[in-house]
Amino acid sequence: MLAPITPVSLPGKPYEKPTTLTGAEWEIVSRWEDFEAECAAQQAKAEEEAKGAGEAEKVTAPV
């Protein structure tokens, strides 16, 4: 079970509640999340292709 996140106060700097994002800022965050997801998908595809190429070399190698 996950515990709720509690704010952390640093010595000399009290906890400050984050500001609410504007519409433009939300758009930037949304695009960044889409970009990260696309990068992760491309990386997974590249790893899968590399794994498949490695297996193909093993199968076609003369015995």
Side-chain angles (χ1 to χ4, degrees):
M1 183 173 175
L2 297 174
I5 298 173
T6 55
V8 176
S9 292
L10 301 174
K13 183 175 181 181
Y15 171 75
E16 297 175 8
K17 185 176 179 181
T19 58
T20 305
L21 298 178
T22 65
E25 291 169 333
W26 272 115
E27 177 132 0
I28 292 168
V29 170
S30 174
R31 288 184 181 184
W32 181 255
E33 289 172 344
D34 293 344
F35 173 75
E36 286 181 328
E38 184 178 331
C39 288
Q42 288 177 355
Q43 183 177 4
K45 183 179 178 184
E47 289 174 359
E48 187 67 30
E49 289 175 356
K51 182 179 176 185
E55 290 176 359
E57 290 175 8
K58 292 178 186 176
V59 172
T60 58
V63 178

